Amino acid sequence: MTITRLLKKVVYAGYVEAPKWGVSVRKGQHDALISFETHQRIIDNIEGKKRAPAARKDYNVDFPLRGFVACKCCGNAMTGAWSKGCRKHYAYYRCETRGCDAKSKSVPRAKLEAGFEEIMQRMAPSRGLIEIAGMMFQDAWALKEQTMREERAAWKSQIKTIDSEIENTLDKIIEAENKSVIRAFEKRIEKLERQKIVLSEKVSGVLPDRHTKSECMELSLSFLSNPWKVYKNGGHAAKQTVLRLAFQEPLTYCPKEAYGTPKFSFPFKVLGEITRAKKEMVL
């Protein structure tokens, strides 16, 4: 309960309030530790409006593909573990789904991960395609900037609408005589004020500058040009990020047939289609 009370305090978002004395949420004179939007998401989570997915407890640096590679027979994620031999321990991936034909059929870690490396190595596009990707990135960035400007204009419009609604609700409070009705109007105003704060924070957000654009572009093209290098040299968290960015869905693996056809994420899918189109034109 103490932790819940602490998480609900708006003071950490740079605001203050004192409901007992009729002081609604307002900007404080201190620096915020988190944004008001983050504070509101915390409140929503506590009240059960939104639930974040539970963090996996089976992350293991020894088996980075555990939970990502699925058994081709049953579709469930394969697990990974060490098996004790006569003289040393051996690393294996296996399916543990009850009733699956491939249940407990161990696949040496080296074999499964070598096949994964081969898939990742094939994803690296040519230098010419990276240049095309760079131009596509420029276009996407310009579109994103335009979208952000339009969103900012929409947020400003929403703020005006909220101000108007607050003013109308205040007029209703003046006219109301029933205490329960007045309290309902006050709660409505408090909710609107919180929405307005979140929108105001979004409006005040700074649009990305050229330096940010160059940095993002460099990182993106570095990842696209050699995803395997990023995966190989990164920590466990980086590996998990690469898996989410490079593939549309988990890979499937069969002990007898090896990997199934991978479904790459949109950027790699587009680059792959361009490569195939070029090969067909040559033929």
Side-chain angles (χ1 to χ4, degrees), residues 26-50:
R26 60 196 60 188
K27 188 67 177 177
Q29 300 298 319
H30 59 287
D31 294 331
L33 297 177
I34 59 175
S35 68
F36 191 87
E37 184 179 7
T38 300
H39 164 74
Q40 193 60 50
R41 286 204 304 268
I42 291 172
I43 298 297
D44 291 340
N45 286 332
I46 292 175
E47 294 179 352
K49 295 180 182 178
K50 297 178 182 177

Side-chain angles (χ1 to χ4, degrees), residues 14 25 48 62 83 88 108 125 139 145 150 187 192 214 220 223 233-234 236 272:
V25 177
D62 294 334
S83 296
K88 61 179 182 178
D139 293 339
E145 286 183 331
E150 292 174 355
K187 286 184 177 180
L192 290 170
S214 299
S220 299
F223 169 70
N233 297 331
H236 189 66

Side-chain angles (χ1 to χ4, degrees), residues 59 68 223 237 239-248 265:
Y59 282 161
F68 179 77
F223 169 70
K239 285 181 169 61
Q240 296 299 316
T241 302
V242 170
L243 293 177
R244 290 194 298 269
L245 293 176
F247 299 95
Q248 186 177 343
S265 60

Side-chain angles (χ1 to χ4, degrees), residues 64-272:
L65 297 179
R66 182 164 72 178
F68 179 77
V69 176
C71 173
K72 192 174 183 179
C73 296
C74 65
N76 292 320
M78 298 177 70
T79 186
W82 290 92
S83 296
K84 186 176 182 181
C86 296
R87 298 182 180 179
K88 61 179 182 178
H89 288 76
Y90 298 89
Y92 291 98
Y93 285 93
R94 63 171 66 91
C95 175
E96 291 293 345
T97 303
R98 184 178 297 179
C100 178
D101 293 338
K103 182 180 184 300
S104 299
K105 292 183 179 180
S106 299
V107 180
R109 182 181 64 178
K111 179 181 178 181
L112 187 140
E113 294 185 358
F116 173 74
E117 178 181 350
E118 184 179 344
I119 292 174
M120 293 288 286
Q121 294 279 19
R122 293 203 309 265
M123 293 173 67
S126 65
R127 190 176 188 84
L129 284 181
I130 290 298
E131 293 177 357
I132 294 175
M135 292 185 287
M136 294 169 65
F137 184 92
Q138 296 275 9
D139 293 339
W141 188 274
L143 179 61
K144 180 62 177 178
E145 286 183 331
Q146 178 62 29
T147 302
M148 291 177 69
R149 293 189 185 95
E150 292 174 355
E151 287 178 341
R152 178 174 287 187
W155 293 331
K156 289 180 178 179
S157 177
Q158 291 176 36
I159 290 175
K160 290 181 179 179
T161 302
I162 289 176
D163 284 335
S164 178
E165 189 171 349
I166 290 175
E167 186 176 345
N168 292 335
T169 306
L170 287 171
D171 291 339
K172 292 179 181 179
I173 290 177
I174 295 174
E175 298 173 357
E177 296 180 358
N178 189 297
K179 290 184 178 180
S180 61
V181 174
I182 293 174
R183 182 55 186 157
F185 284 145
E186 288 175 343
K187 286 184 177 180
R188 175 59 181 166
I189 290 176
E190 182 181 351
K191 184 178 180 180
L192 290 170
E193 289 286 1
R194 285 178 170 268
Q195 292 176 1
K196 180 180 175 180
I197 291 172
V198 173
L199 291 171
S200 297
E201 281 190 349
K202 290 181 177 180
V203 170
S204 62
V206 180
L207 290 172
D209 55 20
R210 292 184 178 180
H211 176 73
T212 303
K213 176 182 177 181
S214 299
E215 186 176 315
C216 290
M217 185 171 178
E218 183 179 349
L219 289 172
S220 299
L221 295 182
S222 175
F223 169 70
L224 288 174
S225 64
N226 198 336
W228 169 247
K229 182 179 179 180
V230 178
Y231 179 89
K232 181 180 179 181
N233 297 331
H236 189 66
K239 285 181 169 61
Q240 296 299 316
T241 302
V242 170
L243 293 177
R244 290 194 298 269
L245 293 176
F247 299 95
Q248 186 177 343
E249 59 184 45
L251 298 173
T252 58
Y253 189 90
C254 176
K256 294 181 179 180
E257 303 172 5
Y259 281 99
T261 303
K263 292 187 178 181
F264 301 116
S265 60
F266 182 74
F268 291 102
K269 183 179 179 180
V270 171
L271 293 176

